[in-house]
Amino acid sequence: MTQGNILIVDDDEILSGLLQLTLELEGHEVDTAADGAIGLKKMREGNFDLVLLDLVMPRVDGIKFLRLRLDEGGPMPPVLIISSTSGEEVSSMPSELGVVGFVRKPVEPARLVRLIGQALAGERLDCA
Amino acid sequence: MSYLDGLDSFDPARELLPAGETAPSPQPKSLPKRHRKIRIFKRFFNVIRRLKLKTFAVSLILAAGLAALQFAGAFRIIDERFFDVVTLGEAGTVPQVVIVERDPGFESQGPRRFARLNAMLHDLGIGKVGHLPAAGEPISPLAQKNSAAVPAPVIALPIGRVPASQQWALVGEEAGQGVAAARLLAAARYGIHRTHLAGLPGSDGMIPTFESALSGVTADDQPFLVRMPEAQNIPVVTASQILSGDLRGEELRGMVAVVAPVDALAGRLTTPLSPKSAMTSEATFRAHVLQTLLSGRATYFARDWEVMLLLFCMVCIAALSYWRSDPKRIALPLSLALTAAAVAGSWLAMQFAGKLLPLTALAVIPWLVAFFAVLIREQNQDGILEETAARAVQKSFRRSALREGARLPEFLGFAGQLAALDRSLLIARNEDGSFEPILEHGASIDELTDSKKKLKALLNKVRGRSYAYPADDLVPGWTGESFVTWLGGSDRELFWIYTMPEANPKRKSAHLVRAIAASFRELFHWRGHLNSRSRQDVRFRPIDDKISSAIELVAREAEHVRFGFDTIETAVVIFHLIGSPLHANSKMEEIYAEAGMAVSELSLPEALSALTDLDDSRINAMLEDLALNGGEMRLPMRQIGNAQRIMRVAAPKRFARGGERVIVLEAVDVSDHHRAADLRQAVALYIDLQLRNDFEAIMLGVDLAGDERVPPEKIRPIVKRIGDSARRATGRLDRVAELIHSDIGDILDACYPIDIRKTVLDAKGKVSKLANELAVNVETDMIGIGGFTVAEPKVLGQMMEAMLQVVIADTPRGETVMLKIEEEEERTHIRISGGFGMGFERLVRLLEDTEAETVGEFRTISGGIHIANKWGASVSYWGHEAQRFGFNIDLRRIG
């Protein structure tokens, strides 16, 4: 399985922590950001292979994060959105934002791990 | 005219056919003989009814009565006075009579003087000569003549009744060579001599009167009226003048001479000429009689059959004139016209037919017929009105629970409970003076005072009064303040004795009791009126009283119904099936007004078209179905104002089957339901999204806890995180549980988690028109996707709309207003800024509503600020002169 450097952008600290632990057990390098603003900062500082992005967040939400990142012009790794929303917002997003898939919470950890693996391998995800 | 008139001639088939088409002729049917008879009788009855038989019959009786009075001479004095007035004023005719006065010079001559006078008069061309002998004068000299060529003079001889007969005879000396005639003076009529006779019945036939003999008129005993115009010239000459030969022949040719002694020229008679001239002499009166006869202008009284016929005709004309007209409207002009016609007819008859008609009776008839026609109509109308009023009152009472007297104690008992009376005793006083308990609440009739006198005195004092009297003497055993009040009652009078509560607010109870008693009294009063036809004492109460009572009762009921309607939560308007509005309650009137319409101006289809989105064809189809089958339908209603409503269109089946069909439009405000639905949807969404997060964490934690790769020391923190997630989920559920389980009314003003972005964009959309008009750009800095912010979206939306409006209105053309949303961990900020600038102090005054020019938007903002505080939100504002101003709304964010 392909390992990668993953950035989790989610304001839910408990969930981020557990997700980080799960992915680290799979051998990934994982960093977390509590909202979009921190996430942007980390993106500027580091080099990530995949971004796991929540949509609803304070200060800079997921959609704004993507737009700001696009505006900054830096490299945009594949983005897997994991959100509790219905995902309507994602369907209308332009491809240059880098979104490769959308997973609605709650998701089985094994399925999430598999999807992350597919995303890192550049495969087509078997999600929406 | 009866309101039934014309109904039998109405043929619906014919009336409703299109123009140019005729109704098919009904198939002739052979009816059984009995049915034919019934039909003929009905037709006859209808004809009679149409002819106003009652009016007609009364008029005929009236005519007969008047004729009887006429024959009895009751109207003679007026009729003859009319004759006097007319004839006195008319022009005289060419004199045909000359009075020859036997002057002293003549009387002093010898006994042959009469022969010479008769001869001279003949020579002068006098046609006939008549002599009025002086009292006791020998008759034979008067009739002397010198030659056979001189016609025999007429000698007036006295008359006397033939004993034991109705006949008359000339009495005294015979006329010799003269012609004897009766010297008759008809009896004065009411003191005035105006009639005369041409003859008298004698044993050998009619005895001519002096005047008929001179004029040549046939002698009969029909009295006639003598015309005595004031302008009539009756020449008088003396016998000496005649004998002297001074007079020319032409002057007297063809005339009749009445030779009268001096005493016959003395004024003795009262005639129509009196009192303008002096008393009339016999000779003058007879000269007028002769002038009347010779000019052929004698006026006779109408014969009995003529009187009857004339009165009958007048009655018919008057009665038939009211056939198709309202007597009250035409009575005066018609009576005046008929009276004028009677006067004119009488004048014509007098002038050209020589008849004096029964003018007084003829003139009275139109007025009497009018009086009876109006009277009968009034009676009929009163009957109809009374029946209508009774029906209206019956209907009112039928709806009223009080129609059953047996339930009175139940109602009064309940009323007593309402007023919290300690004791209450309702007693009825029977006609024999005994008392009967109707209701005993904490009291007994045995507790009434034993003193019958005291009891009777107090109750009589209270009777008919509308206020309560202290009744401590009436019920000596009762503690507290006792009162007695009269409730009325038709057959038995009711008295209510009660004690005011000690503990409860006495004043309010007393007021309530007064109102209850007044209400009962009023209802009994109406009941009394309703039963008035069966009660002798009020049977003859004027109909106006009854009608006004009924109208008042019905109006009062209508008022109560209207008040009741206005308290209904929904807006209602009732239409008659033909589409005209009957009644709308105040809420519906408000909706109409809000939509710029008026209830009275719109028909049912127009109202439906204006209030809903249905097209005309669908409206017509719907109404047709409702009219035919009854039932109800619900339609979405156009948004008028802020409220969201649905329209219920109903045609109650109970009415749809009968003739009184109505269609009811009911606008049901569903805004609250929509808001409640929005709230619950928002809460559900919140739970859905938040629990998904929590379950995700729990699932990950559980998965990790079971993963063998996880070192044991990390298990505890993982389990702790699972617990934290579960607790967080439970907390979130607790937070919204109240909103989910509460009633709609309790949660309508509640705040709940909403997507703030939607509310802000809605508010921005509502002011976009204003911004475009003022060329102001509204720039937004929005979040991409919103979390959950706690607010009540309607209030928040209105407050933001008002804020944007005041800022946009203050912003110069081409400038920008900023609208920004920021979300932090636990707060959401909405920032609105722009405008030319407004000093902070002025802003404060406007928001505190202390400035005279405070506009509605600032009041909305101010109200919103107060409500927002309840959500845990805060609203602040800032401003500087010429340096923009703005509002910040800080709200709680919960996820």
Side-chain angles (χ1 to χ4, degrees):
Chain A
M1 185 177 164
T2 311
Q3 271 80 35
N5 196 3
I6 299 172
L7 175 64
I8 300 172
V9 185
D10 196 326
D11 61 325
D12 188 338
E13 201 182 320
I14 298 172
L15 184 61
S16 313
L18 290 169
L19 200 53
Q20 183 180 14
L21 199 53
T22 301
L23 295 178
E24 281 174 350
L25 284 175
E26 297 301 325
H28 299 292
E29 287 286 324
V30 179
D31 198 356
T32 59
D35 60 43
I38 299 168
L40 283 170
K41 190 183 171 199
K42 291 201 171 178
M43 287 280 282
R44 283 192 288 270
E45 290 168 355
N47 199 6
F48 296 99
D49 302 316
L50 180 72
V51 177
L52 275 182
L53 180 67
D54 185 19
L55 288 180
V56 180
M57 290 181 293
R59 288 177 287 278
V60 176
D61 58 85
I63 294 171
K64 204 165 184 179
F65 165 85
L66 291 171
R67 284 189 185 137
L68 290 172
R69 181 62 189 167
L70 187 66
D71 290 347
E72 283 178 1
M76 177 60 85
V79 177
L80 179 61
I81 293 175
I82 176 165
S83 172
S84 49
T85 63
S86 61
E88 285 171 20
E89 307 83 359
V90 179
S91 59
S92 58
M93 282 180 183
S95 57
E96 57 265 31
L97 290 178
V99 178
V100 293
F102 170 81
V103 181
R104 191 170 194 197
K105 295 173 186 175
V107 59
E108 278 290 330
R111 180 168 173 255
L112 179 65
V113 167
R114 190 177 69 247
L115 288 171
I116 288 169
Q118 286 174 341
L120 286 170
E123 295 171 9
R124 185 182 172 83
L125 303 189
D126 59 356
C127 59
Chain B
M1 178 180 160
S2 163
Y3 61 92
L4 293 172
D5 283 355
L7 280 184
D8 54 345
S9 63
F10 176 74
D11 177 359
R14 189 180 67 234
E15 298 288 334
L16 300 176
L17 274 175
E21 291 185 29
T22 53
S25 302
Q27 291 298 315
K29 288 179 185 174
S30 177
L31 289 171
K33 201 173 177 183
R34 187 169 151 268
H35 285 188
R36 279 205 304 272
K37 277 184 179 175
I38 291 171
R39 183 187 272 187
I40 290 166
F41 174 75
K42 280 183 178 172
R43 281 185 180 171
F44 176 73
F45 179 76
N46 277 338
V47 169
I48 296 296
R49 186 167 52 78
R50 285 181 179 194
L51 283 173
K52 302 279 183 185
L53 184 64
K54 202 172 174 184
T55 309
F56 207 70
V58 170
S59 302
L60 278 180
I61 294 167
L62 195 69
L66 283 171
L69 287 171
Q70 179 72 29
F71 300 148
F75 305 129
R76 197 173 292 160
I77 191 165
I78 303 174
D79 291 349
E80 291 176 15
R81 181 72 192 132
F82 170 72
F83 174 82
D84 292 348
V85 169
V86 172
T87 53
L88 273 173
E90 64 188 19
T93 50
V94 176
Q96 296 186 63
V97 183
V98 60
I99 297 172
V100 180
E101 180 189 348
R102 286 159 53 183
D103 56 302
F106 171 76
E107 293 291 15
S108 63
Q109 293 180 25
R112 294 292 297 174
R113 65 183 184 277
F114 290 106
R116 288 203 309 276
L117 179 65
N118 289 338
M120 283 301 289
L121 286 171
H122 176 68
D123 292 345
L124 286 169
I126 294 289
K128 279 189 178 179
V129 177
H131 286 275
L132 293 171
E137 185 180 26
I139 301 302
S140 55
L142 299 176
Q144 287 175 352
K145 52 182 187 174
N146 291 338
S147 70
V150 176
V154 177
I155 311 298
L157 298 176
I159 53 169
R161 191 181 282 277
V162 176
S165 86
Q166 294 293 316
Q167 294 175 337
W168 300 80
L170 298 171
V171 296
E173 193 182 342
E174 289 192 357
Q177 289 180 293
V179 176
R183 188 176 184 174
L184 170 75
L185 194 61
R189 301 170 78 87
Y190 307 101
I192 294 176
H193 291 272
R194 64 164 77 85
T195 58
H196 202 68
L197 293 167
L200 289 167
S203 53
D204 298 326
M206 292 303 290
I207 303 169
T209 56
F210 176 71
E211 291 79 12
S212 64
L214 278 173
S215 63
V217 170
T218 308
D220 61 36
D221 58 353
Q222 284 296 312
F224 62 88
L225 290 140
V226 181
R227 288 174 182 262
M228 286 183 273
E230 286 178 318
Q232 182 61 50
N233 179 22
I234 304 289
V236 180
V237 294
T238 61
S240 300
Q241 281 178 296
I242 300 290
L243 292 178
S244 66
D246 289 346
L247 293 173
R248 286 179 296 157
E250 291 76 22
E251 289 178 352
L252 302 176
R253 186 170 298 282
M255 294 177 81
V256 172
V258 175
V259 182
V262 175
D263 62 342
L265 288 164
R268 289 190 290 113
L269 302 176
T270 307
T271 66
L273 293 168
S274 311
K276 282 194 174 176
S277 54
M279 300 282 269
T280 308
S281 67
E282 181 190 353
T284 307
F285 178 72
R286 290 187 190 281
H288 276 291
V289 173
L290 275 166
Q291 181 73 25
T292 300
L293 289 173
L294 288 167
S295 61
R297 303 196 71 196
T299 304
Y300 292 88
F301 292 103
R303 296 171 192 276
D304 291 354
W305 68 267
E306 289 171 336
V307 169
M308 289 289 290
L309 184 64
L310 280 170
L311 296 184
F312 177 76
C313 288
M314 183 58 101
V315 163
C316 289
I317 291 166
L320 291 175
S321 300
Y322 296 119
W323 178 14
R324 286 195 177 276
S325 312
D326 179 0
K328 278 205 281 197
R329 289 190 176 194
I330 64 164
L332 182 65
L334 181 70
S335 300
L336 283 172
L338 289 177
T339 303
V343 172
S346 295
W347 183 85
L348 288 171
M350 206 190 323
Q351 298 298 342
F352 301 107
K355 286 279 181 186
L356 181 65
L357 302 186
L359 172 63
T360 311
L362 287 172
V364 164
I365 280 175
W367 299 98
L368 285 176
V369 171
F371 172 74
F372 281 105
V374 171
L375 196 70
I376 290 166
R377 184 188 179 280
E378 283 295 301
Q379 276 181 346
N380 290 341
Q381 207 171 35
D382 284 0
I384 293 166
L385 281 173
E386 191 166 14
E387 271 185 27
T388 309
R391 272 208 305 275
V393 176
Q394 281 278 19
K395 210 167 184 178
S396 293
F397 266 98
R398 206 175 298 141
R399 288 200 296 263
S400 162
L402 270 184
R403 71 186 186 278
E404 296 172 42
R407 294 189 66 191
L408 176 65
E410 186 188 324
F411 288 114
L412 208 60
F414 175 67
Q417 279 176 20
L418 279 181
L421 300 180
D422 289 341
R423 293 164 184 248
S424 170
L425 176 63
L426 179 67
I427 56 171
R429 181 158 69 177
N430 296 320
E431 284 181 4
D432 60 2
S434 63
F435 291 97
E436 193 181 317
I438 304 292
L439 169 76
E440 293 174 323
H441 169 67
S444 163
I445 194 167
D446 300 332
E447 292 167 341
L448 283 177
T449 177
D450 292 333
S451 168
K452 298 273 181 201
K453 193 178 166 188
K454 198 183 282 180
L455 185 65
K456 192 179 170 189
L458 186 57
L459 294 185
N460 283 343
K461 196 173 168 187
V462 174
R463 188 174 179 277
R465 309 279 180 179
S466 59
Y467 39 87
Y469 273 77
D472 294 338
D473 292 345
L474 209 62
V475 278
W478 289 13
T479 53
E481 266 186 293
S482 303
F483 294 92
V484 59
T485 190
W486 176 74
L487 295 183
S490 50
D491 302 326
R492 298 188 304 166
E493 286 183 308
L494 296 168
F495 296 91
W496 191 21
I497 308 161
Y498 54 87
T499 308
M500 295 304 295
E502 293 276 349
N504 289 341
K506 201 179 285 181
R507 210 170 137 194
K508 281 187 181 172
S509 282
H511 184 72
L512 194 55
V513 165
R514 266 202 303 278
I516 290 166
S519 185
F520 272 97
R521 258 194 303 276
E522 190 180 44
L523 284 163
F524 280 124
H525 173 71
W526 301 126
R527 236 183 142 173
H529 269 233
L530 175 65
N531 296 330
S532 63
R533 278 193 286 190
S534 58
R535 285 180 54 203
Q536 199 59 36
D537 58 335
V538 284
R539 193 172 189 168
F540 298 107
R541 185 173 286 157
I543 184 68
D544 311 25
D545 264 13
K546 295 178 186 175
I547 299 295
S548 67
S549 299
I551 290 170
E552 201 171 320
L553 173 65
V554 173
R556 198 174 286 243
E557 268 217 356
E559 193 81 334
H560 287 162
V561 171
R562 197 171 66 78
F563 286 151
F565 252 121
D566 285 350
T567 60
I568 294 174
E569 279 292 320
T570 53
V572 178
V573 57
I574 303 169
F575 285 88
H576 192 273
L577 192 65
I578 61 167
S580 64
L582 295 174
H583 180 77
N585 68 359
S586 54
K587 288 192 177 59
M588 185 56 95
E589 281 173 351
E590 283 167 18
I591 291 175
Y592 269 69
E594 211 167 346
M597 310 182 295
V599 173
S600 57
E601 287 172 4
L602 295 188
S603 67
L604 175 59
E606 287 168 343
L608 281 170
S609 180
L611 297 173
T612 68
D613 290 321
L614 294 185
D615 56 36
D616 290 349
S617 59
R618 289 183 65 194
I619 289 172
N620 290 338
M622 180 185 73
L623 291 178
E624 190 182 324
D625 183 61
L626 283 172
L628 291 174
N629 305 313
E632 66 172 70
M633 295 183 188
R634 285 165 197 270
L635 328 161
M637 209 172 138
R638 278 188 185 157
Q639 180 154 3
I640 297 168
N642 290 322
Q644 291 170 304
R645 301 181 182 91
I646 57 163
M647 169 78 74
R648 182 174 156 264
V649 188
K653 281 187 178 174
R654 185 160 67 88
F655 295 115
R657 279 197 293 268
E660 299 173 69
R661 296 180 183 180
V662 294
I663 289 188
V664 180
L665 300 191
E666 184 182 13
V668 184
D669 190 342
V670 290
S671 308
D672 292 348
H673 290 85
H674 279 214
R675 284 170 63 194
D678 287 349
L679 180 153
R680 286 182 171 145
Q681 192 181 10
V683 170
L685 186 65
Y686 169 76
I687 292 171
D688 176 57
L689 297 185
Q690 294 302 323
L691 289 190
R692 281 178 184 277
N693 267 336
D694 297 332
F695 284 132
E696 176 71 16
I698 290 167
M699 282 174 73
L700 283 171
V702 169
D703 200 60
L704 281 170
D707 196 326
E708 291 175 350
R709 295 173 293 176
V710 178
E713 67 276 10
K714 286 194 174 178
I715 293 295
R716 183 179 285 272
I718 290 170
V719 171
K720 184 178 177 296
R721 287 183 179 189
I722 293 170
D724 289 345
S725 293
R727 274 190 290 279
R728 192 173 62 177
T730 308
R732 281 169 174 158
L733 287 175
D734 288 344
R735 205 179 298 170
V736 294
E738 194 184 336
L739 291 172
I740 293 168
H741 297 296
S742 299
D743 290 334
I744 289 177
D746 298 333
I747 59 173
L748 283 178
D749 294 328
C751 54
Y752 51 92
I754 59 168
D755 177 4
I756 200 74
R757 196 167 173 273
K758 181 178 178 302
T759 308
V760 172
L761 287 175
D762 282 350
K764 186 194 168 195
K766 285 181 180 173
V767 298
S768 60
K769 191 179 170 192
L770 175 70
N772 288 337
E773 282 173 5
L774 299 177
V776 172
N777 180 38
V778 180
E779 196 176 304
T780 51
D781 182 0
M782 305 289 272
I783 47 178
I785 186 166
F788 288 98
T789 299
V790 178
E792 198 290 305
K794 189 179 170 190
V795 175
L796 179 64
Q798 287 171 349
M799 180 166 66
M800 281 197 295
E801 189 185 334
M803 288 172 173
L804 284 166
Q805 278 175 341
V806 295
V807 175
I808 290 168
D810 191 59
T811 303
R813 293 177 76 84
E815 295 284 314
T816 300
V817 169
M818 274 303 300
L819 174 59
K820 190 174 182 183
I821 304 177
E822 293 168 356
E823 283 191 340
E824 289 180 7
E825 187 79 33
E826 292 183 337
R827 302 300 288 181
T828 298
H829 307 288
I830 302 170
R831 305 190 196 285
I832 298 168
S833 61
F836 171 74
M838 192 181 292
F840 182 72
E841 287 179 359
R842 174 138 192 267
L843 210 49
V844 171
R845 285 200 302 276
L846 285 167
L847 287 168
E848 287 180 355
D849 203 4
T850 53
E851 191 107 324
E853 63 196 74
T854 296
V855 291
E857 284 77 14
F858 279 101
R859 294 202 184 98
T860 305
I861 297 167
S862 181
I865 291 171
H866 285 102
I867 296 172
N869 288 338
K870 297 176 190 170
W871 313 331
S874 63
V875 180
S876 59
Y877 42 91
W878 55 273
H880 305 283
E881 288 290 350
Q883 291 182 42
R884 301 168 75 85
F885 70 102
F887 299 92
N888 297 333
I889 306 170
D890 294 331
L891 300 143
R892 271 194 302 139
R893 184 176 180 280
I894 59 170

